[in-house]
Structures are given as C-alpha cells and as structure tokens.
Amino acid sequence: MWRGPDRQKDLRRSCQDAIREHKVKRTGSVIWDAITHFNNDDGWAMASHVALSILMALFPFMIFGTSLASFLGAYAYADTASHLIFDTWPDAIAAPISREVVNVLTVERGGLLTLSVLAAAFFSANGVEALRVSLNRAYRVSETRSWYVTRAQSLLFVVVAVLVIMAISFLLVLAPLALKLARQFAPWMDTLISAVDNWRILIAAMVLVIGLVVSHLWLPDGRRRLYDVLPGVAVTLVAWMAGALAFASYLKEFATYVSTYAGLASIMIALVFLYIIAAIFILGAEINAAILNARMRADSEQRPAP
C-alpha cells in the first residue's frame, strides 16, 4: 500500500521534534553556562559590591543633581528624581529611603562648584564604575581603556542622567495642565486620559529599560549590538519584578528587620533589596554572554574545516 504522504508527515514530525529538542538543550546549556560562570567568577561578591556602591552613590547623585538642577532653574528635580528612582521599588523599601532623600535635598547648598558637590559627583560616578566592573566580568572581557577615559565616561553618565531627569521634570510640570485641558476640551477621551494618569510609573519603567540597554551597550569593554543585549535586559526586567514582589511579600509576612536592626532597619532592607537586584542585573549580562558564546560555537561548528 502506498504510504507516501503519511511517510512525509512522520518525517516532518520527527524533524520538528528534533529541532525542538535541540532548542531545549541549547537553552539549558546557555542557562547552565551563565549560572556556572556567575558562581565561579565571584558573582555573589560582585553583587554585594554593586549594591553597596549604588547605596553609597544614591545620596551623592541626588545632591549633585539637585544642585545642578537648581542652578539651571529646574526646581521640580527632587520630586521627579524620587519618583523615577523609587517607583520601581516596593513601597515598603522605597518609602523610608525616599523620605530621607527628600530631607537631604531640602538642605540649601552654596552653589554648583563647591567642593561637596564635586565630591558628590565623584561618588556618584563610583556607582557607575561598580556596574562597569561587574559587566566586564559577566561579559568575560578585560578593560582595555585608560582609567581616565572610563572615569570621564562615568561622570558623563551621571551628568546625562541628571539632565534627562531635569528634562522629564519640566515635562511633568506641564503634564497636569495638559491633562486638565484635555478633560476640558475632549471629555470624550476621559477613559484614555484616566489611563494616562499613571504616567509616573510608565515613565519610570521606560527610564529603567533605557538605562539597562545603555549600560549593557556602552559600559563594558568591547562592542555589542542591541540584538545581543536584549535577552539579558528582558531577563533582568522579569526577574526584577518577580524579586521585588517576592521580597515585599517576605517583608510583610516574615521579616523582623525592625526588631533586629532598630533604626538601621530601612538601610538594611534597602541594602538587601539592592543586593538581590544587583545579582539579577549581573545574571542578565551572564545570559547575554552565554548566548554569544553559544552562537560563536554554532558558527564554528557549521564552518567547514580547511
């Protein structure tokens, strides 16, 4: 009996199963490579270094940004920066830290080019340098640029971040007026306008995505394409949300930080949260590096031997 079409269907199904199995094995090898390199190359210690550096750079960054913004007339900078930085944190962690940030930023300072403000810019750049070191390790590259080039780039990142927040603060001052006018002259768009009322969270998420992409592209040594860094950025975002929700639930149900650390509870909570986020950030870069290595191995296997 002629079974040509059935035979072709069986062959096609077996080929699809083989391709699916190959993709599963390749995904598993990529994840195993990333986790193994993270563990063997002091990823946990680097996460601790990044978390502490970011916590130490947070207040200097806000001080430098407020001084520069006041010099340029952007007086809504403090409120905007507080929302952009802390809206992606769980409320239990962000609330006490943001209150202290506002208290620090309400202190008047002499001017832009004072020694304390310049020191604040320097310490802010240290947080960027910690990210650079962790990304270089994750991408398995050695830094070839001079120290003054990388330090200048870190300072440039700080200044650009401040200018971006200033620009957003100008826009956010106009946003309530624009929404009021839209409700007045286009009441039929009230449903859409109500959805836009959550613009702070949307802008904070957008700034987070852009910051992650820029960090992966330009902080570590070497060149990478946007296509090369998107998997790690996506993993970081998903794991960030999951980790933030899990840690917030843990604080609500089980943690006793207040009774254990008393007045230092908010700092300890923020440090543990930043440690989790830093580990997730480094793992995202490890995923990108493992995918690049797997792609290089596949290309070398397909290339004919001389």
Side-chain angles (χ1 to χ4, degrees):
M1 181 179 295
W2 171 251
R3 295 177 55 84
D6 294 337
R7 175 81 173 172
Q8 291 177 357
K9 289 181 181 179
D10 293 339
L11 288 174
R12 191 180 300 113
R13 190 179 299 111
S14 61
C15 289
Q16 291 175 350
D17 293 340
I19 293 172
R20 192 178 300 111
E21 183 180 357
H22 175 71
K23 288 182 178 180
V24 171
K25 287 183 178 180
R26 184 175 178 180
T27 302
S29 65
V30 165
I31 295 174
W32 180 250
D33 182 19
I35 294 175
T36 302
H37 188 267
F38 175 84
N39 188 67
N40 293 341
D41 207 29
D42 302 324
W44 299 111
M46 290 305 303
S48 177
H49 171 55
V50 170
L52 185 58
S53 299
I54 290 177
L55 189 61
M56 292 181 64
L58 180 61
F59 284 93
F61 172 76
M62 299 293 281
I63 292 171
F64 173 71
T66 304
S67 302
L68 181 58
S70 300
F71 179 78
L72 298 177
Y75 299 105
Y77 174 88
D79 182 61
T80 304
S82 178
H83 280 289
L84 290 179
I85 293 175
F86 296 113
D87 277 357
T88 55
W89 294 27
D91 290 338
I93 305 169
I97 301 296
S98 60
R99 282 197 301 267
E100 294 302 323
V101 166
V102 172
N103 291 336
V104 169
L105 297 184
T106 53
V107 177
E108 293 188 5
R109 292 170 181 82
L112 176 63
L113 296 178
T114 61
L115 182 60
S116 60
V117 174
L118 293 177
F122 176 81
F123 283 112
S124 301
N126 285 345
V128 181
E129 288 296 311
L131 294 177
R132 184 197 311 280
V133 173
S134 65
L135 287 174
N136 277 334
R137 286 202 175 196
Y139 281 107
R140 308 159 199 195
V141 296
S142 298
E143 187 60 60
T144 59
R145 295 164 291 185
S146 302
W147 67 269
Y148 50 85
V149 174
T150 57
R151 176 60 65 169
Q153 187 192 49
S154 298
L155 288 171
L156 179 63
F157 269 53
V158 170
V159 174
V160 169
V162 170
L163 294 177
V164 168
I165 295 176
M166 285 172 52
I168 294 174
S169 68
F170 281 121
L171 294 175
L172 297 187
V173 169
L174 299 175
L177 177 60
L179 292 175
K180 182 179 179 180
L181 291 175
R183 282 194 171 94
Q184 181 178 353
F185 293 102
W188 51 274
M189 295 180 60
D190 188 67
T191 303
L192 178 61
I193 295 170
S194 299
V196 177
D197 278 341
N198 294 323
W199 42 265
R200 289 186 186 274
I201 297 177
L202 296 176
I203 292 178
M206 185 170 61
V207 169
L208 175 61
V209 173
I210 294 174
L212 287 173
V213 171
V214 169
S215 299
H216 282 274
L217 285 177
W218 290 321
L219 272 184
D221 195 76
R223 290 192 174 189
R224 279 153 296 278
R225 300 166 298 178
L226 179 62
Y227 175 78
D228 296 329
V229 304
L230 286 181
V233 171
V235 169
T236 301
L237 291 173
V238 173
W240 182 310
M241 290 186 290
L245 292 174
F247 190 59
S249 300
Y250 167 72
L251 289 176
K252 184 178 180 181
E253 300 294 336
F254 305 107
T256 57
Y257 282 96
V258 175
S259 60
T260 304
Y261 296 103
L264 297 176
S266 59
I267 298 298
M268 285 302 304
I269 291 172
L271 191 57
V272 173
F273 175 72
L274 288 174
Y275 179 75
I276 295 171
I277 297 303
I280 291 171
F281 174 76
I282 297 172
L283 272 173
E286 293 281 4
I287 291 290
N288 287 338
I291 291 174
L292 289 173
N293 285 347
R295 195 178 300 158
M296 291 175 60
R297 286 196 300 268
D299 291 342
S300 63
E301 290 174 358
Q302 293 177 0
R303 191 179 302 120

PDB file of all heavy atoms in Angstrom, residues 229-244:
ATOM      1  N   VAL A 229      22.036  42.368  23.466  1.00  0.00           N
ATOM      2  CA  VAL A 229      21.817  42.665  24.882  1.00  0.00           C
ATOM      3  C   VAL A 229      20.347  42.565  25.295  1.00  0.00           C
ATOM      4  O   VAL A 229      20.046  42.562  26.493  1.00  0.00           O
ATOM      5  CB  VAL A 229      22.341  44.080  25.234  1.00  0.00           C
ATOM      6  CG1 VAL A 229      23.814  44.205  24.864  1.00  0.00           C
ATOM      7  CG2 VAL A 229      21.527  45.169  24.548  1.00  0.00           C
ATOM      8  N   LEU A 230      19.448  42.474  24.331  1.00  0.00           N
ATOM      9  CA  LEU A 230      18.020  42.457  24.676  1.00  0.00           C
ATOM     10  C   LEU A 230      17.611  41.241  25.517  1.00  0.00           C
ATOM     11  O   LEU A 230      16.771  41.385  26.418  1.00  0.00           O
ATOM     12  CB  LEU A 230      17.174  42.533  23.400  1.00  0.00           C
ATOM     13  CG  LEU A 230      17.133  43.901  22.715  1.00  0.00           C
ATOM     14  CD1 LEU A 230      16.252  43.860  21.484  1.00  0.00           C
ATOM     15  CD2 LEU A 230      16.652  44.978  23.683  1.00  0.00           C
ATOM     16  N   PRO A 231      18.138  40.017  25.261  1.00  0.00           N
ATOM     17  CA  PRO A 231      17.731  38.884  26.123  1.00  0.00           C
ATOM     18  C   PRO A 231      18.041  39.110  27.594  1.00  0.00           C
ATOM     19  O   PRO A 231      17.193  38.858  28.458  1.00  0.00           O
ATOM     20  CB  PRO A 231      18.527  37.699  25.546  1.00  0.00           C
ATOM     21  CG  PRO A 231      18.796  38.078  24.135  1.00  0.00           C
ATOM     22  CD  PRO A 231      18.991  39.551  24.142  1.00  0.00           C
ATOM     23  N   GLY A 232      19.242  39.604  27.888  1.00  0.00           N
ATOM     24  CA  GLY A 232      19.599  39.859  29.283  1.00  0.00           C
ATOM     25  C   GLY A 232      18.766  40.968  29.903  1.00  0.00           C
ATOM     26  O   GLY A 232      18.406  40.902  31.084  1.00  0.00           O
ATOM     27  N   VAL A 233      18.449  42.003  29.120  1.00  0.00           N
ATOM     28  CA  VAL A 233      17.599  43.084  29.620  1.00  0.00           C
ATOM     29  C   VAL A 233      16.207  42.551  29.946  1.00  0.00           C
ATOM     30  O   VAL A 233      15.625  42.881  30.991  1.00  0.00           O
ATOM     31  CB  VAL A 233      17.526  44.227  28.587  1.00  0.00           C
ATOM     32  CG1 VAL A 233      16.468  45.246  28.994  1.00  0.00           C
ATOM     33  CG2 VAL A 233      18.881  44.903  28.453  1.00  0.00           C
ATOM     34  N   ALA A 234      15.658  41.710  29.066  1.00  0.00           N
ATOM     35  CA  ALA A 234      14.330  41.134  29.313  1.00  0.00           C
ATOM     36  C   ALA A 234      14.350  40.253  30.559  1.00  0.00           C
ATOM     37  O   ALA A 234      13.428  40.325  31.398  1.00  0.00           O
ATOM     38  CB  ALA A 234      13.881  40.323  28.094  1.00  0.00           C
ATOM     39  N   VAL A 235      15.389  39.419  30.715  1.00  0.00           N
ATOM     40  CA  VAL A 235      15.501  38.574  31.905  1.00  0.00           C
ATOM     41  C   VAL A 235      15.595  39.437  33.164  1.00  0.00           C
ATOM     42  O   VAL A 235      14.961  39.142  34.195  1.00  0.00           O
ATOM     43  CB  VAL A 235      16.723  37.648  31.782  1.00  0.00           C
ATOM     44  CG1 VAL A 235      17.030  36.961  33.109  1.00  0.00           C
ATOM     45  CG2 VAL A 235      16.492  36.599  30.699  1.00  0.00           C
ATOM     46  N   THR A 236      16.372  40.519  33.093  1.00  0.00           N
ATOM     47  CA  THR A 236      16.521  41.411  34.244  1.00  0.00           C
ATOM     48  C   THR A 236      15.191  42.035  34.641  1.00  0.00           C
ATOM     49  O   THR A 236      14.848  42.096  35.825  1.00  0.00           O
ATOM     50  CB  THR A 236      17.547  42.507  33.926  1.00  0.00           C
ATOM     51  OG1 THR A 236      18.811  41.911  33.604  1.00  0.00           O
ATOM     52  CG2 THR A 236      17.727  43.436  35.117  1.00  0.00           C
ATOM     53  N   LEU A 237      14.429  42.508  33.655  1.00  0.00           N
ATOM     54  CA  LEU A 237      13.152  43.152  33.958  1.00  0.00           C
ATOM     55  C   LEU A 237      12.158  42.179  34.596  1.00  0.00           C
ATOM     56  O   LEU A 237      11.514  42.500  35.603  1.00  0.00           O
ATOM     57  CB  LEU A 237      12.557  43.748  32.680  1.00  0.00           C
ATOM     58  CG  LEU A 237      13.296  44.954  32.100  1.00  0.00           C
ATOM     59  CD1 LEU A 237      12.708  45.330  30.748  1.00  0.00           C
ATOM     60  CD2 LEU A 237      13.228  46.142  33.055  1.00  0.00           C
ATOM     61  N   VAL A 238      12.045  40.985  34.011  1.00  0.00           N
ATOM     62  CA  VAL A 238      11.109  39.996  34.549  1.00  0.00           C
ATOM     63  C   VAL A 238      11.540  39.561  35.951  1.00  0.00           C
ATOM     64  O   VAL A 238      10.720  39.497  36.888  1.00  0.00           O
ATOM     65  CB  VAL A 238      11.010  38.786  33.605  1.00  0.00           C
ATOM     66  CG1 VAL A 238      10.169  37.687  34.233  1.00  0.00           C
ATOM     67  CG2 VAL A 238      10.407  39.196  32.263  1.00  0.00           C
ATOM     68  N   ALA A 239      12.834  39.262  36.113  1.00  0.00           N
ATOM     69  CA  ALA A 239      13.320  38.830  37.418  1.00  0.00           C
ATOM     70  C   ALA A 239      13.249  39.972  38.441  1.00  0.00           C
ATOM     71  O   ALA A 239      13.022  39.728  39.636  1.00  0.00           O
ATOM     72  CB  ALA A 239      14.756  38.319  37.293  1.00  0.00           C
ATOM     73  N   TRP A 240      13.447  41.219  37.986  1.00  0.00           N
ATOM     74  CA  TRP A 240      13.331  42.383  38.879  1.00  0.00           C
ATOM     75  C   TRP A 240      11.925  42.443  39.467  1.00  0.00           C
ATOM     76  O   TRP A 240      11.747  42.585  40.684  1.00  0.00           O
ATOM     77  CB  TRP A 240      13.647  43.650  38.087  1.00  0.00           C
ATOM     78  CG  TRP A 240      13.610  44.943  38.876  1.00  0.00           C
ATOM     79  CD1 TRP A 240      12.623  45.384  39.703  1.00  0.00           C
ATOM     80  CD2 TRP A 240      14.627  45.946  38.909  1.00  0.00           C
ATOM     81  NE1 TRP A 240      12.938  46.612  40.231  1.00  0.00           N
ATOM     82  CE2 TRP A 240      14.164  46.986  39.768  1.00  0.00           C
ATOM     83  CE3 TRP A 240      15.867  46.079  38.287  1.00  0.00           C
ATOM     84  CZ2 TRP A 240      14.910  48.135  39.998  1.00  0.00           C
ATOM     85  CZ3 TRP A 240      16.600  47.231  38.532  1.00  0.00           C
ATOM     86  CH2 TRP A 240      16.136  48.234  39.372  1.00  0.00           C
ATOM     87  N   MET A 241      10.911  42.352  38.598  1.00  0.00           N
ATOM     88  CA  MET A 241       9.527  42.422  39.081  1.00  0.00           C
ATOM     89  C   MET A 241       9.218  41.260  40.017  1.00  0.00           C
ATOM     90  O   MET A 241       8.607  41.448  41.080  1.00  0.00           O
ATOM     91  CB  MET A 241       8.569  42.437  37.891  1.00  0.00           C
ATOM     92  CG  MET A 241       8.603  43.724  37.091  1.00  0.00           C
ATOM     93  SD  MET A 241       7.334  43.788  35.802  1.00  0.00           S
ATOM     94  CE  MET A 241       7.973  42.560  34.648  1.00  0.00           C
ATOM     95  N   ALA A 242       9.631  40.056  39.633  1.00  0.00           N
ATOM     96  CA  ALA A 242       9.374  38.892  40.478  1.00  0.00           C
ATOM     97  C   ALA A 242      10.112  39.012  41.812  1.00  0.00           C
ATOM     98  O   ALA A 242       9.541  38.722  42.879  1.00  0.00           O
ATOM     99  CB  ALA A 242       9.793  37.613  39.748  1.00  0.00           C
ATOM    100  N   GLY A 243      11.374  39.435  41.775  1.00  0.00           N
ATOM    101  CA  GLY A 243      12.140  39.582  43.002  1.00  0.00           C
ATOM    102  C   GLY A 243      11.588  40.665  43.910  1.00  0.00           C
ATOM    103  O   GLY A 243      11.545  40.500  45.137  1.00  0.00           O
ATOM    104  N   ALA A 244      11.148  41.785  43.309  1.00  0.00           N
ATOM    105  CA  ALA A 244      10.577  42.861  44.115  1.00  0.00           C
ATOM    106  C   ALA A 244       9.296  42.408  44.803  1.00  0.00           C
ATOM    107  O   ALA A 244       9.081  42.675  45.997  1.00  0.00           O
ATOM    108  CB  ALA A 244      10.316  44.084  43.235  1.00  0.00           C
TER     109      ALA A 244
END
